Amino acid sequence: MKIATILGTRPEIIKMAPIIDEISKRNIDQIVLHTGQHYDEEMSDTFFRDLDIRTPDYNIQVGSGTHGKQTGLMMKGIEKVLLDEKPDIVLVQGDTNAVLAGALVASKLHIAIGHVEAGLRSFDMTMPEEINRRAADVCSTMYFIPTAESAINLLAEGYSRKNLFITGNTVVDACFRHLKIAKKRGIKEKSLKELNIDKMDNILTLTMHRAENVDVKERVVGIIEALKELDDADIIFPIHPRTKNTLEKFGLFDELNNLEHVHIIKPLGYLDFLLLTSASTLILTDSGGLQEEAITLSVPSLTLRYNTERPETVTAGGNILVGSDREAIVSNARKILDNKNFADKMKNAINPYGQGDSAKLTVDAIEDYHARGLLDIVA
Ligand code: UD1
Ligand code: UDP
């Protein structure tokens, strides 16, 4: 059996790492194809080193661009590789443009598709991610689903129960394994080391990059106004390149950077980032992966969005949706910072994303489908 894994952005590398590793351990033939959507050292290469996974066999270097251009270039590059390599199954992860491109190309070549992190729904079709994940699900053969809630989304859309596998999320595998490694290694990145996070009482880790937030000036302003008020905490903000660009465009970068309690640093490698998040009192984010990691690490999170495709984190009690509303961000952050009982309750939320054996369950299911000849039937 040959498995082709398609990835292209930071979260896909992190979440596919445990699966790539598991495939290697079982000596299954595999290729890894990088779309090149993320290309800066700190958005891509650093993760292959930190997570100790094989370097991609192909990088089709699509770079940045509009959705149409990026997806089109990906489709062209992926098609060539799949025609040459003829894998038995193509794995795509999550909801990026690589997932859409990979799923469209593989399905037209009649190659089985495994969608890792399938079934999530924000029910917000203005998000490119919602379009990508829904389209990928239509094309897929096997669905690796983090939770029962996401399985219910797929059942409600008429997908066959037989092809659904509730595996948890591979981010838990990555997080557990690499936090141990990170603790042994210690902080490597100079900008984080210099902040002396051991001496900080209240660390707020902030990440944001979601187009519907950072590309809209009023939303960014709402978030910055809230950050100004939380001046008794140290806000550490490893900034995504998209966000750096738009803050500069809106003329807001210097205003934020000049706040004494806000520390803007470049994006961190996975090990350094885990050391930062696990030491945090609170995580403020619009990231999908970070909502999952926060509850995995027992750190309360406030999500800077008005909806989430990860509602389990909210119902479990570990995450609150605050959007970009200054008052909602400040009042909820204050409860976590000032009220120990409130914070403890959030910390005790039960992680809905599994035990850290998601990669094993995923590859078990693929081997079983292959042995039963089911990967050959993609109709
Ligand atoms: C993409 C995904 C998003 C995911 C995120 C993870 C889509 C539609 N979006 O968003 O779902 O949550 O990755 O981080 O697939 N840039 C650089 N260097 C890089 C990469 C990007 O400077 O290595 C800058 C470019 O100016 C680019 C912008 O960031 O135009 C946005 O990058 P892009 O890959 O289009 O989308 P993300 O916002 O990263
Ligand atoms: N992450 C990281 N360094 C950073 C910021 C995030 O390693 O400076 C990791 C984080 O731990 C998570 C993933 O990147 O696993 C999330 O990626 P991102 O927020 O870019 O994308 P999303 O999950 O929203 O698609």
Side-chain angles (χ1 to χ4, degrees):
M1 174 170 58
K2 187 192 271 187
I3 302 178
T5 294
I6 297 176
L7 43 74
T9 64
R10 168 168 79 184
E12 293 166 85
I13 304 167
I14 294 167
K15 288 175 169 177
M16 287 312 287
I19 293 182
I20 293 169
D21 226 39
E22 187 67 29
I23 297 170
S24 294
K25 265 198 234 149
R26 298 187 193 196
N27 289 319
I28 299 170
D29 200 7
Q30 70 167 322
I31 58 156
V32 175
L33 187 162
H34 195 316
T35 63
Q37 179 172 352
H38 283 176
Y39 44 84
D40 287 347
E41 151 71 29
E42 64 259 28
M43 295 300 287
S44 177
D45 286 4
T46 187
F47 294 99
F48 287 90
R49 280 197 304 278
D50 272 10
L51 291 138
D52 196 21
I53 41 172
R54 71 190 267 137
T55 38
D57 303 276
Y58 297 91
N59 188 323
I60 55 177
Q61 297 184 330
V62 299
S64 303
T66 61
H67 283 270
K69 183 180 164 207
Q70 214 174 42
T71 311
L73 286 173
M74 283 181 197
M75 287 181 70
K76 194 172 163 206
I78 293 168
E79 186 176 58
K80 184 172 183 323
V81 174
L82 296 187
L83 283 170
D84 288 348
E85 292 282 351
K86 299 184 177 45
D88 295 283
I89 184 166
V90 170
L91 299 182
V92 292
Q93 196 284 334
D95 52 25
T96 67
N97 286 342
V99 178
L100 175 64
L104 287 176
V105 171
S107 63
K108 291 195 175 183
L109 294 176
H110 305 157
I111 301 172
I113 298 160
H115 187 189
V116 176
E117 201 180 88
L120 277 64
R121 296 289 181 265
S122 67
F123 302 99
D124 176 358
M125 288 299 279
T126 65
M127 292 178 72
E129 290 84 0
E130 184 73 358
I131 300 165
N132 291 344
R133 63 171 79 93
R134 282 178 184 262
D137 282 337
V138 169
C139 299
S140 293
T141 318
M142 301 182 77
Y143 302 82
F144 304 109
I145 307 161
T147 65
E149 283 86 334
S150 294
I152 289 167
N153 289 335
L154 290 179
L155 291 174
E157 289 172 26
Y159 289 96
S160 164
R161 184 179 287 263
K162 284 189 193 135
N163 298 325
L164 311 187
F165 302 89
I166 298 179
T167 53
N169 196 309
T170 54
V171 81
V172 180
D173 308 26
C175 195
F176 284 166
R177 173 158 176 216
H178 293 283
L179 182 59
K180 276 190 218 138
I181 297 172
K183 281 185 173 159
K184 259 192 214 151
R185 190 199 72 171
I187 294 173
K188 199 168 143 211
E189 167 56 36
K190 197 164 160 258
S191 57
L192 185 62
K193 219 182 230 173
E194 284 173 358
L195 286 176
N196 267 322
I197 61 170
D198 294 348
K199 306 243 155 47
M200 292 176 175
D201 293 329
N202 277 321
I203 300 170
L204 265 67
T205 295
L206 167 69
T207 79
M208 55 172 173
H209 70 279
R210 201 63 57 201
E212 71 267 18
N213 267 338
V214 301
D215 293 358
V216 180
K217 190 167 182 187
E218 307 84 78
R219 289 218 186 176
V220 181
V221 168
I223 295 167
I224 292 181
E225 289 306 309
L227 299 178
K228 282 185 189 165
E229 289 188 39
L230 299 170
D231 59 358
D232 56 337
D234 281 290
I235 299 175
I236 304 184
F237 183 16
I239 194 164
H240 189 288
R242 175 188 207 106
T243 313
K244 186 158 191 283
N245 292 343
T246 54
L247 286 183
E248 278 165 355
K249 188 176 96 192
F250 295 147
L252 293 168
F253 183 85
D254 288 340
E255 182 183 345
L256 186 60
N257 200 27
N258 290 338
L259 297 173
E260 212 177 307
H261 67 292
V262 175
H263 314 284
I264 303 183
I265 55 177
K266 64 180 193 178
L268 293 170
Y270 195 53
L271 300 183
D272 282 334
F273 192 67
L274 281 176
L275 290 173
L276 172 63
T277 47
S278 61
S280 299
T281 306
L282 166 60
I283 290 173
L284 283 175
T285 193
D286 63 13
S287 157
L290 204 42
Q291 290 173 64
E292 295 154 353
E293 280 170 346
I295 201 162
T296 302
L297 294 167
S298 301
V299 179
S301 63
L302 297 181
T303 293
L304 302 165
R305 289 176 49 189
Y306 294 99
N307 59 44
T308 178
E309 55 293 310
R310 281 131 175 124
E312 305 86 351
T313 56
V314 178
T315 43
N319 182 18
I320 301 171
L321 298 184
V322 290
S324 54
D325 181 61
R326 182 196 60 79
E327 153 65 20
I329 299 169
V330 173
S331 62
N332 283 290
R334 285 261 62 94
K335 280 193 232 163
I336 295 164
L337 293 171
D338 301 338
N339 182 338
K340 191 174 175 314
N341 285 342
F342 188 88
D344 282 348
K345 224 168 146 199
M346 287 189 80
K347 280 189 207 167
N348 290 334
I350 293 176
N351 177 12
Y353 294 114
Q355 317 301 317
D357 56 357
S358 180
K360 181 187 170 304
L361 295 173
T362 302
V363 184
D364 280 351
I366 296 171
E367 287 206 295
D368 176 54
Y369 257 45
H370 179 248
R372 291 196 283 140
L374 291 170
L375 294 183
D376 302 329
I377 310 166
V378 293

